[in-house]
C-alpha cells in the first residue's frame, strides 16, 4: 500500500509545495523561511518516521502566521489523502514526550471528525522568528484538515522545549495511530467507515 502524497497550495499569502510518505524513514527537506519552524518540521518527520519535503514561500514581511497555518493545512490534507479510507490503521494513540523541564502530551483519534483541545501555555512569546502560540494553531489546523480528534497539553519553563516536545509528541502519536495493524483488514469502526 503506497501512502505517499504530493500536494500544492497557492494563495495570495503563500505558496506551499509538500510531499509526505507516511511509511518513510524520517527523512526531511524543509524550507519555510522560518528557521525554528523548519527545525520543528524536521523533528516531526524524524520522530514520526515520515518522509517529508516542504517548500513554502510566504508573506514573512507581514508575519509568520500565514506560513505556519498554510503548511499545517497542506500537511493535514496530505495525511487525509494518504490514509484514504483508513483501512487497517490502529486509529487511536497517545504519547507523552519530555524535553528537559518541558513535557507535552498528545492523544489522537484518526476519526474523520476534527476536534481540537489544548491545555497549557508557552513560557515565551517568541522563539527566534517563530511566534510560540502558532504551535497550537499548527496543531489545530493539522487536526482540522486531517480529520483528527486531537487533545494536546504542554507544560514547562522554556518555550523552545515546550514547542519541540509538542511536535515530537504529535509525531510519535500520529506514527502510532496511522500504522497498519496486520490483524485488521477493515476500517477500524463499527460503522465500517471513518
Amino acid at each position: 500500500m503506497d501512502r505517499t502524497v504530493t500536494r500544492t497550495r497557492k494563495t495570495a499569502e503563500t505558496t506551499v509545495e509538500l510531499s509526505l510518505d507516511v511509511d518513510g524513514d524520517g527523512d526531511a527537506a524543509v524550507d519555510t523561511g522560518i528557521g525554528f519552524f523548519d527545525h520543528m518540521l524536521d523533528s516531526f518527520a524524524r520522530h514520526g518516521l515520515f518522509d517529508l519535503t516542504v517548500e513554502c514561500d510566504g508573506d514573512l514581511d507581514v508575519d509568520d502566521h500565514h506560513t505556519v497555518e498554510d503548511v499545517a493545512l497542506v500537511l493535514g490534507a496530505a495525511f487525509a489523502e494518504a490514509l484514504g479510507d483508513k483501512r487497517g490503521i490502529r486509529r487511536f494513540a497517545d504519547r507523552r514526550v519530555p524535553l528537559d523541564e518541558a513535557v507535552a502530551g498528545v492523544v489522537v483519534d484518526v476519526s474523520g471528525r476534527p476536534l481540537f483541545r489544548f491545555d497549557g501555555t508557552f513560557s515565551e512569546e517568541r522563539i527566534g522568528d517563530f511566534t510560540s502560540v502558532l504551535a497550537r494553531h499548527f496543531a489545530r489546523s493539522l487536526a482540522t484538515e486531517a480529520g483528527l480528534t486531537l487533545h494536546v497539553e504542554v507544560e514547562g519553563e522554556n518555550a523552545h522545549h515546550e514547542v519541540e516536545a509538542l511536535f515530537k509528541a504529535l509525531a510519535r502519536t500520529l506514527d502510532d495511530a496511522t500504522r497498519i495493524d496486520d490483524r485488521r483488514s477493515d476500517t477500524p469502526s463499527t460503522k465500517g467507515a471513518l
Side-chain angles (χ1 to χ4, degrees):
M1 173 188 306
D2 183 21
R3 301 195 298 170
T4 303
V5 172
T6 298
R7 295 190 66 95
T8 301
R9 173 184 169 99
K10 185 174 179 65
T11 70
E13 298 166 342
T14 65
T15 299
V16 180
E17 296 178 5
L18 181 147
S19 66
L20 169 70
D21 181 353
V22 175
D23 303 305
D25 299 313
D27 296 330
V30 178
D31 183 8
T32 66
I34 305 167
F36 182 75
F37 188 40
D38 291 353
H39 176 44
M40 292 303 94
L41 291 170
D42 181 69
S43 183
F44 175 84
R46 186 174 313 272
H47 292 284
L49 295 172
F50 308 122
D51 288 347
L52 179 67
T53 62
V54 180
E55 285 280 336
C56 181
D57 181 17
D59 57 355
L60 296 179
D61 57 313
V62 175
D63 69 9
D64 52 340
H65 180 101
H66 298 142
T67 294
V68 174
E69 177 179 58
D70 287 3
V71 168
L73 293 172
V74 176
L75 182 59
F79 267 104
E81 183 179 340
L83 297 176
D85 66 4
K86 304 174 188 75
R87 182 174 303 276
I89 68 167
R90 293 180 178 174
R91 180 178 167 179
F92 305 101
D94 68 285
R95 287 283 185 136
R96 285 179 58 79
V97 172
L99 180 54
D100 296 343
E101 82 298 333
V103 65
V106 174
V107 179
V108 70
D109 177 4
V110 185
S111 62
R113 295 183 306 276
L115 184 137
F116 180 75
R117 294 284 184 262
F118 183 89
D119 184 27
T121 59
F122 298 106
S123 298
E124 297 145 293
E125 182 179 336
R126 299 195 63 77
I127 307 160
D129 293 331
F130 182 85
T131 306
S132 299
V133 295
L134 289 180
R136 179 176 63 206
H137 190 59
F138 175 89
R140 176 189 302 275
S141 298
L142 176 69
T144 299
E145 286 299 307
L148 308 175
T149 298
L150 187 64
H151 294 258
V152 176
E153 57 184 24
V154 175
E155 60 182 85
E157 301 169 2
N158 174 296
H160 184 131
H161 292 169
E162 293 155 3
V163 172
E164 189 165 349
L166 186 161
F167 272 79
K168 288 177 178 176
L170 184 58
R172 294 301 311 130
T173 306
L174 281 173
D175 179 47
D176 291 345
T178 60
R179 284 191 192 186
I180 300 297
D181 186 334
D182 292 336
R183 298 170 299 167
R184 182 179 297 285
S185 62
D186 59 353
T187 300
S189 171
T190 55
K191 299 177 182 69
L194 288 171

